[in-house]
Amino acid sequence: MSQPQSAEAPDQETNDANSGTGTQTELVQYQEIQAEDETDVGTALENLQQQSYEQSERKSQAEHEAFIRKIITEARWSLSGKGDYPADDLLHALHWTIKRDPNLTEILSPAYDGDYITSTTKARFFDHDAARGEGRSPPSLERELEVLTEIAKELNYLNALTDPSNYAPVYLEKLDPEEVPHAPDVDEIVPIGRRRVSKDDPAEIKDKAVEIPHDDCDHILAIAKPREGKDSTLTSIGMNLWRQHGYKYISLHDDGRMETPMLSIPNDEQAIRDNLERFNQQPRAMDTTVYVPRMEGTPEVLPANFETFTLGIDMLTPKDILRLAGVTDSDPSLELRIKEALEITLDRSRQVDELVNLLFDFAEGLEATIEWTEVQDKHKSDGSVETRETSFSLAADKAVEKAAQRLARLAGEGFIASPDAATNLDFQEMLADKETAAVLCCNFIDASEGFKYTIMDLWLQKIMAARDEWPRLPRVCLEVRELKNVAPSQIQHARYKDQIRALQQTFRIIATQGGSRRVLLLGSTQKFNDVLRPVRNNMDTKILLRQGQEQVRELDKKFDFTPDQFSQLRTFETGDGMIYADGEPFWPIEWRGAPCGLGLGDQVWRDRYGKAWGARVRETADPPWSTKNTPPWWVDVLTGDALAEGKPAVGGWYLRPEDFPEPIAAIEDPEVAADAVTDRLVEWALQQRREYPVPSTLTLEPLAGDERQQDITLEQIGRETTYEDIAKRHDVPRTITPWLRKAASTRQRYITVCELVDEHKFTSYPELHEALNTDDWTLGTFRNHASDEDRLGPCLDKNDDHEYILTPVGKRVLEIDWGAVEQGLEEVDA
């Protein structure tokens, strides 16, 4: 007996209907996303057959060309006596293979005018063809190879007999101007490298081309031994990003050799000029502004493209100020207190000294502790790297005091200024000028203070902030040579730990977040594991040039090289290498050298500027001219004066009479020449002498008086400074507070001893005394200083191997800002 149906339940017929409807809907949804023929089936089949035929033809032709290149190479070796096959047999095969080419009749016709063959070549081929047709060999096999090679080159089988390989271009991905507003619409992307394709490889050239991705600002890391071309390759890539892809080019780190300002001149290194010639390119300079922090030590005279700058306190954030003390993360309430000090200063005096005094006052009322955690790398004994988290803590009052003291030092040097200073750098304006490259040059700053790392960190912070605030600015390319110096995997050996710690974390942010903010990092290093792990692992494109055995083993743990790759990395020529792009290796690649200048150890940077600008330069103490070649007068390029007496100073830029047009060059009387030589004529002579164009103005100019450093004195209001105040302010350990009452020279020797023990191994006082290299202390005097508890005693200890090591107090010595301490001691003594 059937059960009665519920009023809520649908009947079976309704269920069947709904089920059918659901199935049809699903089929429709699936069908909408399937592929369809855009033409009828017959036409589609014809298109597929045509594509298959064309692919087969291209493959057959490529194999044919590869076969010809291989025979030509073998014949060349055989004729030189080193081949494995008879030259006559090889040339016989080559002759009949080329003769079957369908284009041969055309290029041998009398009317054909080719790039490689002449009427003589054609006549000789017909003679050789007659001999081969009769079963004879031509009289000269060398001449036959020459003729067949010229014909093969005309038929595009090969490019050169000495190097029969083909080369595929390596280039940067072209950006779509409609999607990237600042990207220019270029017709042809200039290659930055070429990938060698073996003579017997039948692959098409276009299939071997390598495209380096950067649509998402993929970071690029170059790894190589010293002097193997990593910085040249990076600069070459950066120049193309600047010229052809609309990036603002910024070179940030120079290790003191004045290498980065060389962007302003055409490359003057012969090996790289030869390399550029192989790429059918020429040396080319970048229009560059070199930014120099306005601090003590800046030379009196600099090229015109050098610009001194300052930072106004209105550009600083609470995080910036705390980073001066090495604090990379802090409590928001503490940042609010610092922000309050900034706001009060900007509302009242707008002067740096008030900000510093407010920070010292705020520090007195702080009792909290700042705690933060950072990721650190630890190198294990087997060479591998272990990543771990390291926690840091610092009393809030100490952190603010330390930050205030360093801020005062930077202000005292003149770098931190009021918001109204005319020399303050506008980062928005600097980034918007994408036609001009920017170089940060901190080489004139006293290296003992570590200020250059602080200034680099502030630069990076301002660049990232500008990109965030004004997203319409161009993309930014940051070129950083030797990343390990600014983003090391370990900082325990760094001399300026606070500054390096802050800089290290900034690079970590750029590596992990820079792509989304359209900041591309170009970095180089000698050893992969020396760079902070989050930085190196987020640089997706890796360029590997020649490596040492140890470095190859280290890299093998990450890349898992094939035996061929492992061998190649140790045998590449300088400037050759492989690239990992999109996770895939490509090699062998000859990289284009940098068209602009690089560092040259034997040549002074300013001398190279002068020669690029067209001046003659006296580079050595040797006389610039012999007695027989003494000119009647010469021109000092700096002053524009025509002089009869004396000679240019060493490093001086000058011109001779023959550098000027007639009739000026013929003038013998110096007084007449002095009246005739004008600034306009000097500029004309310099321009005529330039080997390549120079877009930046490199004329030497004295710094104006108002641009020179001004002394700024900062004092804490209402407080008399004492030795105890200085010790407290700079966190000088109690056990070495007696140092503050000693002579500055003695105090410096104590610091030097701590640095020596930190960097080297010593097992005895005589070894340490010898390394200290001082005539003022005998060995006995040194023993007293090294062991006394009021001197070096609290800083030194010995380990189980009887080697001297630093105690925690000794390690603290290396962290103290002794420059600021000395400034404070001067106030006490006064």
Side-chain angles (χ1 to χ4, degrees), residues 256-475:
R257 292 175 291 180
M258 294 298 286
E259 293 190 350
T260 51
M262 293 300 105
L263 300 180
S264 308
I265 70 170
N267 200 299
D268 52 355
E269 190 173 353
Q270 189 57 49
I272 293 184
R273 288 190 171 187
D274 294 341
N275 165 277
L276 292 171
E277 187 175 345
R278 291 194 291 273
F279 281 84
N280 197 27
Q281 298 182 38
Q282 289 188 333
R284 177 168 180 164
M286 301 175 72
D287 192 0
T288 307
T289 299
V290 181
Y291 293 93
V292 180
R294 184 174 173 266
M295 298 175 70
E296 191 66 35
T298 306
E300 296 286 346
V301 175
L302 284 172
N305 71 322
F306 279 61
E307 180 179 316
T308 57
F309 74 98
T310 55
L311 292 184
I313 56 174
D314 58 322
M315 301 175 65
L316 300 178
T317 67
K319 285 185 180 294
D320 292 335
I321 292 174
L322 282 171
R323 292 174 75 86
L324 296 177
V327 176
T328 56
D329 196 9
S330 61
D331 185 272
S333 61
L334 178 60
E335 294 182 20
L336 284 174
R337 295 295 304 276
I338 298 176
K339 182 180 180 182
E340 182 182 352
L342 277 167
E343 291 175 347
I344 291 174
T345 303
L346 294 174
D347 287 342
R348 296 199 309 208
S349 69
R350 298 170 66 84
Q351 298 301 315
V352 187
D353 54 353
E354 180 175 10
L355 173 60
V356 172
N357 289 322
L358 283 174
L359 291 174
F360 275 124
D361 290 342
F362 283 0
E364 291 182 353
L366 296 172
E367 298 181 357
T369 299
I370 304 172
E371 297 182 355
W372 72 99
T373 301
E374 295 174 1
V375 176
Q376 300 289 340
D377 286 349
K378 178 181 179 182
H379 291 261
K380 298 194 288 188
S381 58
D382 62 356
S384 61
V385 178
E386 176 186 6
T387 300
R388 61 179 181 175
E389 291 186 346
T390 304
S391 297
F392 297 89
S393 63
L394 187 63
D397 60 335
K398 298 294 183 186
V400 176
E401 282 187 359
K402 183 184 289 188
Q405 188 62 46
R406 289 183 176 167
L407 182 65
R409 288 284 292 150
L410 286 169
E413 288 281 337
F415 177 66
I416 299 296
S418 73
D420 304 318
T423 51
N424 287 347
L425 179 59
D426 186 328
F427 279 85
Q428 180 190 8
E429 181 181 313
M430 187 262 284
L431 294 180
D433 180 16
K434 67 182 180 66
E435 303 302 323
T436 306
V439 170
L440 174 62
C441 177
C442 298
N443 292 338
F444 305 125
I445 300 174
D446 184 359
S448 65
E449 301 289 353
F451 283 148
K452 71 176 183 179
Y453 301 111
T454 297
I455 293 172
M456 286 173 58
D457 189 41
L458 287 171
W459 253 61
L460 291 170
Q461 294 293 328
K462 298 305 122 188
I463 288 170
M464 296 292 279
R467 280 288 315 159
D468 287 342
E469 187 173 355
W470 297 289
R472 295 183 186 276
L473 289 171
R475 292 178 169 209

